Amino acid sequence: MASARGLGIDGLISGIDTTTLIETLMVYERMPLTQAQEKQTTLQRKADAWRDVNTRLYNLQQKVYNLKSSLTFKSQKVIMGSEEYFTASASTGAPNASYQVEVVNLARAHTVASKTLEAANTSLGYTGKFQINGKEIEVTATDTLNSIASKINSTADVGVNAAIVKIADGEYRMTLTSKQTGAANAIQVTDDDGILANLGFLDDSGEFANLIQEAADATIKVNGLTVNRASNTIDDVIPGVKLTLKKAGSTNISVERDLDKIITAVKEFVDQYNSTMSFINESMAYNKETKEKGVLLGESTLLYLQSELRSILTRTVSSNPTKYNSLTMIGISTGAYNQSIEATKSGNLVLDESKLRTALEENFDAVAQLFGAKITNVASADNGATITTSSQYSEMYPATSLIDGRTTSDDWGNGGGWMDNTAGAYPDWVEISFNGRKTIDSLNIYTLNRDDMKADTYGVRDLSFEYWDEATSSWKPLKSAADPSKDLVVEGNTKGVINLDFQAVTTTKVRININSSNEDNDYSRLTEIEVLQKNDGIFSNMYSKLWDITRSGGLTDSKIDSIKEQQKKLDQRIEYLEELMKKKEEYYQARFTALESALSQIQSQTAYLNAQLASLSFGKKS
């Protein structure tokens, strides 16, 4: 919009600086608009701060989950005398034990070579077909050593790698190496047209002429017992332990609880908690000297939030022994002898790692119970659970194996897992009845997952879950913990273990429906099902509280939505005030323009009168 100066009305008649005068007037007129814009900026800062609070609380929730998870407390580690001969790792739930392991020899891949040829890119003139591991390769007269190798490598499931090696100028050889180690994976060939013989792979008797490396199984001794395996990665000899062989030699290993993983999880929680609370404190702070205010100063919701979290951390778990019934008793507190008063007042957590480690070593189960990680598996046969299924393939895949506590796939096919008897027909179902009414809120599904039978090929993919509602005598869907409006379902699973949280229910039995597996027209394959009783530990309670705060529609979400609504209304007011200011400025410009016009008319009339008076005076003199 053009200014008063732009219209050219400054001081034409009156000599008034109209532009400056209008600008001064508009400063006062714009005060409500300026205040609204400043308030909008403040609201945006508040919204951003609440989003930051929500993000920090969500990150804290993830750290809390690790401390309430039974899987964290089931973590095992391998202590080794030496890693020179092999490396070893333990899976969750591996039993504590010690072993002497000797690597006698490594598994080897079968490798054979051709004779020496003068060139790799010269046509060989061979015509015919040969087979490698049952896969046919056709050769024409124009094929070279390189092109034959390319044809082998591009043949699906041929099981070998073909490579060209330049020995020296004018000396080239092809090697064939089995893709898998082990005696059972030796290269098998058929050479009816004599192509492989012409290349020098076979001798006159049809045997390999140039054996570079013989196919061989790995041989190890575990506590003096000899074991042979086709691979140098062995995970089915020591329960829950994977060995990766490197070279011949012997060392001792022991499997034990991984206390370091638990302590690391506690450290990560403490760091995230302190970071979150420090941010909240800064957001609500007021500096008496500088008069600076935190963007969320006076937010009672934040004070409530802090109070709730601190209350959970300082509560006692009455079912635990007194020595282990609070976090303070095991080394997690809001103050320490070497802290300043200011640090203690901040509410920051302090970890006494030595005290925590001692507690874990003295009474591991009590600490797990305090955290909320020692949860009773009500689907265990040891706890009186029973099981029925839609069908069973054979006695080697019994339904009872799903509630016997064996979570690995080590014993698959030998009573260590269940498979249905209806290939490609879904849904299949598993029904577990508890020993009485139980309040449950999470479950773990273990599907088949071994090196030779991976979950992404042989495991279950899509599942749904139900509980028995006694009031209506009917099955009802379990509801997602993340969104109570949605049924608890799993879609597209490729993992060996599925961990799920749901809205707590009290029931006598549950049903797991398998709606598809990862291989077309395949069977449902599971190794264990755990249904976990709701726990009253510190971190299980904190997780529930944080979930309620950060979930969609939760406390922080509601605060942000409230601010958005205020911003929307303020946007409308700002739009109205901007239009009003435009009209005000136009009004002032019009009024001052009218003033100059009126003064101009007066000036003209005055000049005319003065001229008339002057002419009258001149006439009298003559």
Side-chain angles (χ1 to χ4, degrees):
M1 182 176 65
S3 66
R5 191 181 302 278
L7 292 172
I9 63 173
D10 279 348
L12 292 176
I13 304 299
S14 64
I16 300 172
D17 186 353
T18 308
T19 299
T20 301
L21 182 57
I22 292 176
E23 288 175 351
T24 301
L25 289 169
M26 289 307 298
V27 168
Y28 291 98
E29 293 285 0
R30 288 181 179 275
M31 286 183 67
L33 175 60
T34 301
Q35 291 170 350
Q37 291 170 332
E38 289 174 350
K39 187 175 182 180
Q40 187 70 288
T41 300
T42 299
L43 286 175
Q44 186 58 52
R45 289 180 60 217
K46 281 190 174 184
D48 291 342
W50 271 110
R51 290 188 185 94
D52 201 344
V53 168
N54 188 70
T55 298
R56 290 168 186 266
L57 290 173
Y58 179 79
N59 291 338
L60 179 61
Q61 182 185 358
Q62 307 313 303
K63 306 302 182 186
V64 169
Y65 180 84
N66 292 335
L67 295 179
K68 85 171 190 83
S69 172
S70 59
L71 295 178
T72 300
F73 278 76
K74 288 181 179 178
S75 298
Q76 297 288 85
K77 66 179 179 179
V78 178
I79 306 298
M80 303 185 62
S82 170
E83 291 190 356
E84 182 179 357
Y85 313 112
F86 59 90
T87 59
S89 61
S91 62
T92 298
N96 292 351
S98 296
Y99 307 88
Q100 182 183 38
V101 180
E102 178 186 357
V103 179
V104 179
N105 59 263
L106 299 179
R108 296 189 297 272
H110 196 193
T111 303
V112 296
S114 71
K115 66 183 180 182
T116 301
L117 289 91
E118 294 181 355
N121 287 315
T122 300
S123 297
L124 298 172
Y126 302 149
T127 302
K129 299 176 181 179
F130 62 89
Q131 290 185 341
I132 299 178
N133 294 331
K135 302 298 179 179
E136 187 173 84
I137 294 96
E138 183 174 359
V139 175
T140 64
T142 59
D143 275 321
T144 66
L145 199 62
N146 278 337
S147 67
I148 294 173
S150 179
K151 284 184 175 182
I152 293 171
N153 290 333
S154 63
T155 301
D157 301 322
V158 72
V160 300
N161 285 315
I164 305 302
V165 179
K166 181 180 179 180
I167 306 300
D169 289 343
E171 295 182 25
Y172 295 87
R173 299 180 74 179
M174 182 193 299
T175 61
L176 298 177
T177 302
S178 178
K179 290 183 178 180
Q180 293 184 316
T181 57
N185 296 309
I187 301 170
Q188 305 294 323
V189 299
T190 302
D191 190 32
D192 293 339
D193 295 329
I195 303 298
L196 294 178
N198 289 335
L199 289 170
F201 280 105
L202 302 178
D203 58 23
D204 293 340
S205 63
E207 300 297 325
F208 286 115
N210 301 293
L211 177 64
I212 304 301
Q213 180 171 273
E214 187 174 1
D217 289 338
T219 301
I220 64 173
K221 289 184 178 180
V222 179
N223 291 345
L225 301 176
T226 300
V227 176
N228 295 313
R229 291 293 184 269
S231 173
N232 288 316
T233 300
I234 302 173
D235 63 0
D236 61 348
V237 174
I238 300 174
V241 175
K242 178 185 285 188
L243 304 175
T244 303
L245 310 185
K246 296 163 69 174
K247 69 177 186 178
S250 177
T251 191
N252 294 324
I253 68 171
S254 61
V255 182
E256 60 184 49
R257 286 172 175 154
D258 192 354
L259 299 186
D260 290 332
K261 184 171 183 178
I262 299 170
I263 292 171
T264 296
V266 173
K267 287 180 179 178
E268 291 176 349
F269 161 74
V270 169
D271 289 344
Q272 184 62 47
Y273 179 88
N274 290 342
S275 172
T276 301
M277 290 303 158
S278 294
F279 178 79
I280 291 174
N281 288 335
E282 292 170 5
S283 299
M284 295 191 298
Y286 175 72
N287 191 315
K288 294 180 180 179
E289 295 180 359
T290 64
K291 310 299 182 184
E292 291 182 2
K293 299 178 181 179
V295 66
L296 298 178
L297 178 65
E299 286 281 358
S300 59
T301 303
L302 273 184
L303 292 171
Y304 161 78
L305 187 155
Q306 279 190 315
S307 175
E308 285 291 294
L309 296 183
R310 287 170 178 166
S311 175
I312 292 172
L313 285 175
T314 55
R315 64 181 285 269
T316 59
V317 176
S318 57
S319 58
N320 265 30
T322 303
K323 190 176 179 181
Y324 307 98
N325 68 357
S326 70
L327 294 182
T328 300
M329 299 300 291
I330 64 168
I332 307 170
S333 64
T334 55
Y337 71 92
N338 61 345
Q339 271 197 306
S340 66
I341 295 176
E342 291 74 14
T344 302
K345 285 182 177 179
S346 72
N348 280 357
L349 289 178
V350 177
L351 172 62
D352 185 335
E353 184 177 333
S354 176
K355 191 173 183 179
L356 174 59
R357 187 179 293 275
T358 298
L360 286 167
E361 291 171 346
E362 289 180 349
N363 198 329
F364 184 86
D365 287 346
V367 177
Q369 181 71 27
L370 174 65
F371 280 20
K374 184 175 174 54
I375 305 173
T376 302
N377 174 21
V378 296
S380 167
D382 290 343
N383 290 323
T386 58
I387 188 169
T388 57
T389 59
S390 53
S391 66
Q392 181 174 300
Y393 189 81
S394 73
E395 64 181 9
M396 300 308 296
Y397 303 94
T400 53
S401 67
L402 296 182
I403 57 173
D404 66 1
R406 290 181 290 175
T407 60
T408 70
S409 300
D410 295 341
D411 298 324
W412 179 257
N414 292 302
W418 166 80
M419 183 167 68
D420 77 291
N421 192 32
T422 55
Y426 297 99
D428 299 317
W429 55 264
V430 175
E431 185 179 309
I432 300 176
S433 298
F434 311 136
N435 182 21
R437 299 174 75 247
K438 307 294 181 183
T439 301
I440 56 176
D441 65 355
S442 61
L443 55 81
N444 302 316
I445 305 292
Y446 297 83
T447 188
L448 176 60
N449 188 35
R450 281 193 333 203
D451 278 351
D452 59 335
M453 301 181 80
K454 290 292 189 182
D456 58 5
T457 300
Y458 292 93
V460 295
R461 183 173 65 226
D462 301 323
L463 307 95
S464 59
F465 307 89
E466 299 172 298
Y467 73 98
W468 183 253
D469 181 32
E470 294 177 287
T472 61
S473 296
S474 63
W475 290 103
K476 289 190 175 180
L478 291 171
K479 296 294 183 178
S480 167
D483 187 347
S485 67
K486 294 182 178 179
D487 294 347
L488 183 70
V489 296
V490 171
E491 295 178 339
N493 173 65
T494 59
K495 297 179 180 179
V497 184
I498 307 169
N499 309 119
L500 298 169
D501 295 321
F502 51 85
Q503 291 291 298
V505 296
T506 300
T507 185
T508 58
K509 55 185 176 180
V510 294
R511 176 182 284 177
I512 293 90
N513 300 302
I514 301 106
N515 301 312
S516 68
S517 295
N518 283 315
E519 189 174 25
D520 293 340
N521 300 318
D522 201 9
Y523 300 92
S524 296
R525 298 180 176 93
L526 299 175
T527 58
E528 189 73 8
I529 297 173
E530 297 174 336
V531 182
L532 306 179
Q533 188 167 326
K534 189 176 185 298
N535 187 275
D536 194 38
I538 300 292
F539 293 110
S540 57
N541 273 272
M542 179 171 278
Y543 181 84
S544 297
K545 175 60 66 175
L546 287 168
W547 178 86
D548 192 50
I549 290 169
T550 59
R551 66 179 174 84
S552 176
L555 187 148
T556 52
D557 212 20
S558 297
K559 289 296 298 184
I560 294 170
D561 286 344
S562 175
I563 293 173
K564 285 181 179 178
E565 189 61 31
Q566 295 178 59
Q567 288 178 307
K568 182 179 178 181
K569 292 179 179 178
L570 202 53
D571 281 338
Q572 294 172 346
R573 175 163 174 75
I574 288 172
E575 185 178 354
Y576 164 76
L577 289 174
E578 285 177 338
E579 185 62 29
L580 181 62
M581 292 305 101
K582 178 181 177 182
K583 293 179 180 179
K584 282 276 188 179
E585 189 166 3
E586 290 174 348
Y587 169 78
Y588 284 130
Q589 289 172 345
R591 299 305 295 168
F592 279 106
T593 298
L595 173 62
E596 292 294 335
S597 178
L599 290 174
S600 178
Q601 290 179 3
I602 292 171
Q603 188 179 59
S604 296
Q605 291 175 354
T606 300
Y608 173 76
L609 291 174
N610 286 335
Q612 292 298 316
L613 291 173
S615 66
L616 289 175
S617 298
F618 179 76
K620 289 179 179 181
K621 291 180 182 180
S622 60

